[in-house]
Amino acid sequence: MKKHILPLGLAACLLLAACGQTAPSAPSVPAASSAQSASAGVETQAGELEYLSASPDNIGYGAEGDQGFYYIQDSIDRANLHFIDAASGQDIVLCSNPSCTHDSDACPACFTGSPYLAFTGGKLFLLFDVSGSGEEPGHVDVVEPDGSGRRTVYTFALNQSLGGSVAGDGKNLYFLLATYEGDSPAMSLVRLDLAEGSLTELCKVDNSTFLMGVACGKLMLKTIGGESGTGGSPDDFYTQRHTLKAVDPATGEVTPVLEWTQDEYWELVADDSLYLLSAPEGKLHLTVRDLATGSDTDYDLPLETKEDGYAMSLSARNGVFMFSLFNPGESSGSGIQRWACTLETGETQELKLYDPVRGYPFQVMGEAGDKLVVQVPRYSGDDIYSFQQYDYVVCSWQDYLNSQLPE
């Protein structure tokens, strides 16, 4: 039975299919009909390449720096740059001007538009995007870790726009770039030299391409669709081809990794591995593929999805695989539950940190040192119209797994 999936722009949880060897300690699971045979490993390339985004379709909710966590706090008419010190947990607006009210252009941490953030090479980068509107150009600015010395590194053409997530290696930023010449943009993977301020095209890509992450020192791209040979009916969504490729960040050389037909799979690229979450016969199954060797390890999870259910918001930290599971028709709340699976022990537990009004799981924004930064909504009442803002709370990894936050 097919399961409905989040629309493309709403989640980075689109489906992968794969098959492989089953770990001796895990029971076998029926292979999906769309699964492809295991591929060879990706040749590992040394370097400092890092994935700097929260998801393939979001450049970043914040940025993890050497000394703490940076994020943007939005209000109705402005956005402020904040910093959470990893050592003290103190949250400040990143401005050193005495008596500054942080609400005008006089404040270096105040913006009329909300930039995306990326931290690499010991500096913080602000990526301002205007979506190729032609009204004003987007640009990339750099500031020192304390927020000082802001300057523009690169200015985009009026018809150019950032196309999703970003990676970096201390000297360069890598991202998808959309160039508008007509109704639809031409997409390419580019490298921005941060010292010279020059932009180099690494390779052209299809419009339905995402920068999924970094593995084995390579940029991992996934393209959806292409030569699917299907028409326009809703059922054709499940027969689209997906292609995963590795791109050399220095040369732009493209190496195929996997090709499959979409059918009830959700994926994550992290820790030089590909995490494939599926639901054969409604029961969750996880395959972890080591991208360096091409070998698979399988896990059966003691959870089920209902008809039209799906998983989203996949992440992995400290040997723990986390995901949110949506089962429509739940009697209360949003129908979304957050789960964590410790792969070494097989223990699965629900993370019970939920928005008290909307029922959504609290979002982990990033890390500050050895602690997590969790986004917690603040309300003045008990309905959605009383929402005020998101607070960023620092907690230990173990407290998060135990669904606890500081008072």
Side-chain angles (χ1 to χ4, degrees):
M1 179 179 294
K2 305 294 185 185
K3 298 189 183 298
H4 296 297
I5 305 152
L6 282 178
L8 183 60
L10 295 181
C13 57
L14 294 165
L15 318 178
L16 280 181
C19 69
Q21 301 171 350
T22 300
S25 59
S28 60
V29 196
S33 59
S34 59
Q36 304 293 321
S37 59
S39 66
V42 177
E43 183 179 355
T44 299
Q45 178 169 302
E48 302 298 325
L49 190 64
E50 293 182 283
Y51 190 56
L52 304 177
S53 295
S55 72
D57 56 2
N58 192 311
I59 287 180
Y61 306 115
E64 299 167 7
D66 294 335
Q67 303 299 322
F69 184 78
Y70 301 86
Y71 73 93
I72 295 293
Q73 182 72 271
D74 287 309
S75 61
I76 295 176
D77 56 354
R78 66 181 184 276
N80 289 124
L81 175 61
H82 281 244
F83 174 71
I84 299 176
D85 183 82
S88 66
Q90 183 181 10
D91 186 332
I92 62 170
V93 177
L94 204 62
C95 166
S96 59
N97 293 346
S99 304
C100 185
T101 55
H102 315 306
D103 58 1
S104 71
D105 291 341
C107 174
C110 182
F111 316 107
T112 54
S114 183
Y116 301 113
L117 303 179
F119 190 95
T120 187
K123 298 184 185 298
L124 180 67
F125 292 87
L126 316 175
L127 298 97
F128 293 85
D129 185 30
V130 292
S131 302
S133 64
E135 298 173 358
E136 59 177 305
H139 51 98
V140 179
D141 292 357
V142 60
V143 299
E144 297 299 321
D146 63 359
S148 65
R150 179 181 168 189
R151 62 183 178 85
T152 296
V153 175
Y154 186 80
T155 301
F156 296 104
L158 287 174
N159 65 335
Q160 291 180 326
S161 173
L162 294 168
S165 48
V166 63
D169 59 14
K171 299 179 180 179
N172 306 280
L173 290 179
Y174 305 85
F175 48 86
L176 296 176
L177 182 69
T179 302
Y180 293 82
E181 299 293 349
D183 294 335
S184 60
M187 299 291 295
S188 58
L189 177 66
V190 298
R191 179 181 64 235
L192 174 60
D193 186 306
L194 298 172
E196 298 180 359
S198 59
L199 198 68
T200 301
E201 180 180 280
L202 292 177
C203 61
K204 296 185 181 299
V205 300
D206 290 343
N207 288 0
S208 54
T209 297
F210 296 85
L211 176 56
M212 296 299 300
V214 168
C216 305
K218 304 290 182 65
L219 301 158
M220 306 300 293
L221 299 182
K222 187 184 78 167
T223 299
I224 306 170
E227 300 175 5
S228 60
T230 62
S233 72
D235 288 342
D236 292 339
F237 181 81
Y238 296 98
T239 60
Q240 291 185 102
R241 289 174 51 197
H242 286 210
T243 305
L244 187 68
K245 297 179 180 179
V247 181
D248 188 310
T251 66
E253 180 182 0
V254 180
T255 303
V257 178
L258 282 175
E259 187 174 301
W260 64 92
T261 301
Q262 179 174 301
D263 188 1
E264 298 184 342
Y265 281 76
W266 301 268
E267 85 284 345
L268 167 73
V269 174
D271 305 323
D272 288 344
S273 296
L274 182 63
Y275 294 80
L276 306 170
L277 186 63
S278 61
E281 300 180 355
K283 297 181 180 180
L284 288 187
H285 179 73
L286 175 66
T287 297
V288 182
R289 169 165 293 182
D290 185 324
L291 289 172
T293 65
S295 62
D296 292 347
T297 304
D298 290 332
Y299 305 87
D300 288 309
L301 308 186
L303 297 171
E304 298 183 0
T305 60
K306 297 181 179 179
E307 184 175 2
D308 297 334
Y310 47 79
M312 57 187 176
S313 302
L314 280 60
S315 64
R317 278 185 173 88
N318 301 332
V320 178
F321 175 70
M322 293 173 288
F323 59 95
S324 294
L325 192 63
F326 174 66
N327 278 317
E330 296 288 339
S331 58
S332 62
S334 65
I336 303 177
Q337 293 177 300
R338 186 71 176 164
W339 294 92
C341 177
T342 303
L343 299 182
E344 184 177 358
T345 64
E347 178 186 4
T348 301
Q349 62 189 99
E350 182 182 358
L351 305 179
K352 298 181 180 180
L353 295 172
Y354 292 106
D355 183 318
V357 173
R358 288 174 284 188
Y360 300 143
F362 287 172
Q363 179 75 44
V364 174
M365 310 306 290
E367 297 180 4
D370 59 355
K371 296 185 178 181
L372 298 181
V373 179
V374 180
Q375 184 189 64
V376 179
R378 184 198 303 173
Y379 298 91
S380 60
D382 57 3
D383 59 48
I384 191 173
Y385 301 103
S386 65
F387 173 79
Q388 294 180 312
Q389 68 176 41
Y390 286 108
D391 294 325
Y392 289 72
V393 177
V394 178
C395 71
S396 70
W397 169 251
Q398 196 58 48
D399 280 349
Y400 175 72
L401 289 182
N402 292 333
S403 301
Q404 298 175 347
L405 291 178
E407 294 294 335

